[in-house]
Amino acid sequence: MMEKIQSIWNRFTSSRLCWPLAALFFVLLFNFFFTKDFFTIEIKDGHFYGVTIDILNRAAPLMLLAIGMTLVIATKGIDISVGSMIAISGAVAASLIGGKLEYVDGVKTLVTIVPMPVAIFTALFVTTLLGMWNGLLISKVGIQPIVATLILLVAGRGIAQLITQGQIITVYYKPFQFIGTGYIFGLPFSLFIVGLVFGITFYAVRKTALGMFIESIGINAVASRFAGINVSKYIFSAYAFSGLCAGLAGLIICSNVSSADGNNAGLFIELDAILAVSLGGNSLDGGRFSLVGSLIGALVIQSITTTIYALGVPPEITLVVKSVVVIVICLLQSANFRKIVFSKWAQKRGIPGEKNAAKL
């Protein structure tokens, strides 16, 4: 019996998802004891309400970014421009939809400047095009990923503010608000968007050769090129897909607050996206990746943020508290750190070898 338990434990600790799940578990466990009504879920007007539902809803844009960022990082790249693309997506959608008062059959009615599907498609097309621009600079021109995406990080804010003319554009058209605030089967609609994108991406990278090619490029791009893989094409596609995910995240954020702010929308969210991928057990050196791990990482970050607000931490030290918690989680995910801290504990209990100590 003990051998079977030990075998299950070893299999779990060797899994890529072990420590991301452990981090999420301990954050939730902390809230179970210290945050009142954290797990309480109520049904109002046929919708589920509660802190956990709110976490899932607010984490939706970050989860979308994490999906796209995972593929980018798997190719040994980075995309720090997704926050600016969120601002551009929201600015394009809001400026095209708006919501102006018109008399329809003698009744005051809010109508869009252009049809909503056209506005949504345009916003996604623009951000995908910007992602393709990043991919072109990196895969064809040969610019370093952080430099290439830094260009759009800076310029993208300017583009978003040009679109909004430096103003906050308010969207009055209620059907558009459904994207970020609507519910289906009692759950936030944004979760269904995340589920659809995740499902398609997971199928593409795990049921086709795409995932293997991306991992191969991240491990050794030169060897992959000699093996016949079109490295440039897959790197280009990864950044284009990251732009599409950023566009979707921008639509959700814009819809959720019914406005577009070219200056503040998505500000610094690119750092949370990179952190979510890292907390999910993915290496920033590229290669093997886990989409599920990245989603768990996004939930960890949003859970920490919600916990800090729920405990009434003063706003001026919120980021400090969040950074300390994240540092602790990152250290616990480090095999070398665990080996140093827990090696003596393992020796006292007769667990032989440094490898077993590192698994703790």
Side-chain angles (χ1 to χ4, degrees):
M1 183 64 180
M2 290 301 297
E3 292 180 358
K4 187 176 181 180
I5 295 175
Q6 184 67 36
S7 175
I8 295 174
W9 173 254
N10 290 338
R11 197 180 306 123
F12 174 72
T13 54
S14 63
S15 170
R16 184 181 295 270
L17 298 179
C18 168
W19 292 104
L21 285 172
L24 181 60
F25 172 77
F26 282 115
V27 172
L28 295 179
L29 185 65
F30 176 88
N31 282 283
F32 179 79
F33 289 106
F34 296 100
T35 304
K36 183 180 179 181
D37 299 328
F38 184 84
F39 289 99
T40 301
I41 297 178
E42 300 177 346
I43 300 178
K44 296 180 181 178
D45 300 325
H47 304 156
F48 290 102
Y49 287 93
V51 179
T52 51
I53 301 297
D54 188 55
I55 288 174
L56 292 173
N57 191 20
R58 293 185 180 277
L62 182 57
M63 287 192 284
L64 286 170
L65 292 182
I67 292 172
M69 190 70 71
T70 300
L71 299 189
V72 168
I73 289 177
T75 64
K76 210 169 185 177
I78 200 77
D79 188 353
I80 59 174
S81 67
V82 290
S84 295
M85 284 194 274
I86 281 178
I88 292 173
S89 174
V92 170
S95 61
L96 291 178
I97 293 174
K100 58 181 180 178
L101 275 174
E102 287 188 359
Y103 285 92
V104 179
D105 296 329
V107 179
K108 287 184 178 180
T109 306
L110 283 170
V111 297
T112 61
I113 300 173
V114 302
M116 191 174 77
V118 174
I120 291 174
F121 174 80
T122 303
L124 295 180
F125 176 77
V126 169
T127 56
T128 303
L129 201 62
L130 292 173
M132 294 168 66
W133 166 255
N134 284 336
L136 181 66
L137 292 180
I138 295 164
S139 64
K140 297 296 184 182
V141 181
I143 299 177
Q144 290 292 326
I146 193 168
V147 176
T149 56
L150 178 62
I151 296 171
L152 188 56
L153 168 69
V154 177
R157 288 287 165 189
I159 294 172
Q161 292 193 63
L162 282 174
I163 296 172
T164 62
Q165 298 181 353
Q167 304 296 319
I168 296 178
I169 300 178
T170 303
V171 182
Y172 297 100
Y173 191 59
K174 289 186 178 180
F176 178 71
Q177 299 171 4
F178 182 83
I179 297 175
T181 61
Y183 287 79
I184 292 182
F185 304 120
L187 295 174
F189 178 68
S190 58
L191 294 181
F192 290 92
I193 298 177
V194 174
L196 178 62
V197 174
F198 172 78
I200 294 173
T201 308
F202 187 84
Y203 180 85
V205 299
R206 293 306 176 209
K207 300 300 181 180
T208 71
L210 177 62
M212 182 181 65
F213 290 160
I214 291 175
E215 290 180 348
S216 175
I217 292 169
I219 294 171
N220 193 321
V222 176
S224 299
R225 188 176 292 110
F226 279 114
I229 299 175
N230 191 334
V231 174
S232 297
K233 180 179 73 174
Y234 289 107
I235 292 177
F236 177 85
S237 300
Y239 283 92
F241 180 68
S242 178
L244 175 62
C245 290
L248 288 168
L251 290 176
I252 292 175
I253 293 174
C254 177
S255 170
N256 195 31
V257 297
S258 300
S259 63
D261 185 350
N263 186 49
N264 295 311
L267 193 63
F268 301 132
I269 197 173
E270 60 272 358
L271 303 181
D272 278 346
I274 297 169
L275 182 60
V277 176
S278 178
L279 290 179
N282 297 288
S283 172
L284 297 184
D285 285 332
R288 292 185 60 193
F289 63 91
S290 171
L291 289 173
V292 177
S294 296
L295 293 188
I296 295 172
L299 289 176
V300 170
I301 293 173
Q302 187 58 50
S303 298
I304 292 172
T305 304
T306 302
T307 301
I308 291 172
Y309 290 144
L311 293 177
V313 176
E316 59 270 17
I317 63 170
T318 295
L319 292 178
V320 176
V321 175
K322 182 178 177 181
S323 64
V324 170
V325 175
V326 169
I327 289 171
V328 172
I329 293 174
C330 289
L331 287 175
L332 290 176
Q333 287 187 345
S334 169
N336 290 333
F337 178 81
R338 296 197 305 272
K339 183 171 64 175
I340 294 172
V341 173
F342 296 117
S343 58
K344 292 184 179 180
W345 183 91
Q347 289 174 1
K348 289 181 179 179
R349 285 154 180 78
I351 303 177
E354 294 183 352
K355 291 184 178 180
N356 287 336
K359 288 182 180 179
L360 292 174

